[in-house]
Amino acid sequence: MLNYAVKRLGLSIAIVSLAMFLLFCMIYLVPGDPASVALGPRATDAMKEALRVKMGLDQPIWVQFWNFFSGAWTGDLGEEVLSGRPVLDVVFEQLPYTLILIAGGITWSVALGIPLGCWAAINRGSFADRLVGILSVAVIAVPSFVVAIYALLIFAVTLQWLPAIGAGEPGDIGDQLVHLILPSLAVGLGWVGYIARMVRASMLEVLEASHIRTARAFGLPDRTITYRYALTIAILPTITLLGVGIGQMLSSAVFAEIVFARPGVGKLVYDAILTRNFPVVTGAVLVTTVIFVLLNLVADLIVGALDPRVRSSF
Amino acid sequence: MSTLSISGLNVFFSTEDGPLHALKDVAFEVPERKIVGIVGESGCGKSTLINAILGLLADNGEVRSGQILFEGSHELTQLSKVEMQNLRGPRISTVFQDPMGALNPVLSVGQQMVNIQYRDDASKAQKAARAVEMLQLVRIPDAESALGRYPHQFSGGMKQRIAIAMALMMEPALLIADEPTTALDATLEVTTIELLKDLQKKIGCSVMFISHHLGVIAELCDDVVVMYAGEVVERGTVRDVFHAPGHPYTRRLLECDPARQTERTRILPTIPGEIPDLRARPQGCVFAARCLQQHLGCDQPQVEQNLGHDHAARCNLADEVSNQEVSA
Ligand SMILES: Nc1ncnc2c1ncn2[C@@H]1O[C@H](COP(=O)(O)OP(=O)(O)O)[C@@H](O)[C@H]1O
Ligand SMILES: [Mg+2]
């Protein structure tokens, strides 16, 4: 297992490095001078030149790349244009909100998706199975910002069951959880569909396997066979899928944070784009990439921990 | 009293192209403490027969008629789901064909062996001890630590022995083994067969041993049932059937047996032609199209002919043909 973890970590580091390289290329290749973009149309040439030197844009490209790359790996993502605060601090301030939002989305998708998929597989071909199939496709098809807007209109504005905006009183966990319900539903609802479909498909496949026939031939109760012999295998591809899906949830989180006026990295990036605070945009994208890669790593390690075959194949 | 007594068993599968008559009028006995071999080409319905006995037919399968009488008292085709589930394991244990996939990949061998003892009141430690004992019986080296390992950490031969250990741990009245040695190489096959024979004596169960390997049947079994296209074409003691085969199909099988070839090959017995489409069974003999001894009687439904004590062949010409054969 340790061997597997180390190899998988190496892969993650390579992916993050590649992402940094691509991000650098994008910044460098985008036409226009970052300094004048940052300072706006009314800046004088002297101001632009000063900022260019401060940002290191007067250096040769490979020096710039090295500065960017080594800086990023050591947590130096530059400074905010106006306040001069380190970008990393700014992003980390907002990060917990987004992580909790995504955790909420995962909770929705797992808590609803796995039982629905499992139920559909066991009652294959029944009305319930078809209903789950149709609902899955429906929630996958609806974009998350639409879910966000309708959830807000129905549950917060019309019914007034749940709060509409913000993240809740700091320190009041109950209030924060209540504020989390709708935005996390917007992030996770589509994934209920993906997971239900995935679990159903892999469950049907596993139930056909010959080891399940062995379990039946020993007269094990249906419940044991379904949950301990089949579902433990059928959820493995789902965990991997979720790891990848976190990327999409991160992008849904941007919309959810804007619609519900919640603090978070998505809101931060949105505001930063509006105010041309580009170091913050870059920094937030990098941090998000790292988070994505890390969560992917976690998903793979969980699969490794649950599946002895994966563990020993590395 | 026979451990298993099957009569008039007819099994159908519904398929897109209409009903498939997979087992037709199957009848034979598994006497107490005897090993009965079931032999036939692949596709002749051996696995279907097992599944029908175990009540594990696929959803599209159905026992249309017939009796499967277990230990003289249980009519398996009439049992409820729960009653059948309670027989599977403790009374009727099974070793399946595919040693690679027969064990759960994410549960350790120990967990699986403890789980199947769920009906016992014994403590977990006692159940584990029982598992170790059985693994030692089937000669798994280092049985204690084997409990903590997972199926993929064992070779195919070891997995098959673990499967045998699991089945016999239940001390069943009937052990069903579906081609348990087909996937193993020749030497492993021999040791596994010997092991099975030893353990059968020890536990005193009856065995239904499915194989398409005649040499193995001859080595291991008391009686043999020859199946073709879902029908029992011949049955009797191994001695009678192998020395005086009454059905032309049995004779062809014996002629094609690799053990009788001068060179040792692993190629399965082959007879030119194929099993007829079971969705459209011929009116007359199912084997007629491939038979070398064709007569007018082949067009008629075949009736089982008695060839001696507990030896019968489903060929209208069985008496004649075997007499010819003897005189020739
Ligand atoms: N679930 C099923 N649906 C339709 N046909 C089946 C099904 N299972 C088995 N059959 C058919 O029944 C026949 C017997 O198959 P099987 O019992 O697997 O043979 P064997 O084990 O002797 O190789 C074959 O013609 C096979 O195609
Ligand atoms: Mg078979």
Side-chain angles (χ1 to χ4, degrees), chain B residues 19-289:
Chain B
L20 184 152
H21 197 168
L23 294 181
K24 185 173 174 229
D25 300 332
V26 168
F28 66 93
E29 310 260 314
V30 180
E32 224 170 328
R33 290 168 182 263
K34 288 276 162 74
I35 305 184
V36 175
I38 313 272
V39 68
E41 287 165 283
S42 77
C44 74
K46 302 179 300 282
S47 298
T48 303
L49 175 62
I50 296 176
N51 290 334
I53 295 170
L54 292 172
L56 291 178
L57 279 176
D59 289 341
N60 62 337
E62 179 202 2
V63 175
R64 279 272 168 89
S65 62
Q67 270 201 331
I68 305 174
L69 200 62
F70 177 64
E71 293 191 305
S73 53
H74 306 282
E75 193 353 41
L76 300 188
T77 59
Q78 304 297 323
L79 292 188
S80 73
K81 191 169 173 269
V82 179
E83 286 169 323
M84 196 61 230
Q85 185 176 310
N86 285 333
L87 287 181
R88 279 201 304 265
R91 304 302 301 150
I92 306 176
S93 276
T94 316
V95 177
F96 286 108
Q97 195 163 0
D98 160 32
M100 295 306 157
L103 300 173
N104 191 298
V106 302
L107 297 175
S108 70
V109 166
Q111 281 171 302
Q112 299 186 50
M113 292 188 77
V114 168
N115 285 351
I116 59 173
Q117 302 176 61
Y118 75 97
R119 299 177 182 90
D120 285 4
D121 293 329
S123 73
K124 212 165 180 180
Q126 284 170 313
K127 289 178 185 174
R130 174 107 185 85
V132 170
E133 202 179 295
M134 283 313 297
L135 290 178
Q136 281 164 345
L137 261 185
V138 297
R139 304 188 205 116
I140 296 291
D142 200 4
E144 304 242 349
S145 77
L147 284 191
R149 277 183 271 152
Y150 292 88
H152 72 273
Q153 293 168 297
F154 296 91
S155 69
M158 290 224 258
K159 268 187 267 202
Q160 196 55 288
R161 296 214 298 279
I162 292 170
I164 292 172
M166 286 173 72
L168 291 176
M169 183 170 70
M170 312 307 285
E171 298 186 343
L174 175 65
L175 175 74
I176 298 177
D178 186 3
E179 311 208 19
T181 57
T182 304
L184 307 180
D185 67 47
T187 39
L188 266 179
E189 182 162 28
V190 173
T191 45
T192 310
I193 297 292
E194 280 167 1
L195 185 74
L196 210 57
K197 207 167 181 170
D198 282 355
L199 292 175
Q200 183 261 345
K201 283 222 183 72
K202 198 164 194 158
I203 290 169
C205 58
S206 310
V207 179
M208 210 178 115
F209 187 91
I210 285 86
S211 180
H212 49 230
H213 195 215
L214 290 167
V216 172
I217 301 263
E219 180 69 27
L220 178 73
C221 302
D222 302 300
D223 296 348
V224 61
V225 172
V226 183
M227 288 184 65
Y228 182 77
E231 294 181 22
V232 172
V233 292
E234 182 159 5
R235 62 196 168 82
T237 62
V238 165
R239 186 168 230 304
D240 287 346
V241 173
F242 278 55
H243 289 125
H247 197 283
Y249 176 64
T250 316
R251 276 198 289 280
R252 294 302 304 275
L253 265 188
L254 288 167
E255 282 161 15
C256 295
D257 182 22
R260 300 199 171 190
Q261 317 292 310
T262 38
E263 268 172 66
R264 172 120 184 114
T265 55
R266 294 284 294 163
I267 300 167
L268 309 171
T270 48
I271 300 171
E274 282 171 14
I275 290 184
D277 184 355
L278 301 182
R279 282 173 285 254
R281 286 181 163 277
Q283 283 290 309
C285 172
V286 271
F287 187 59

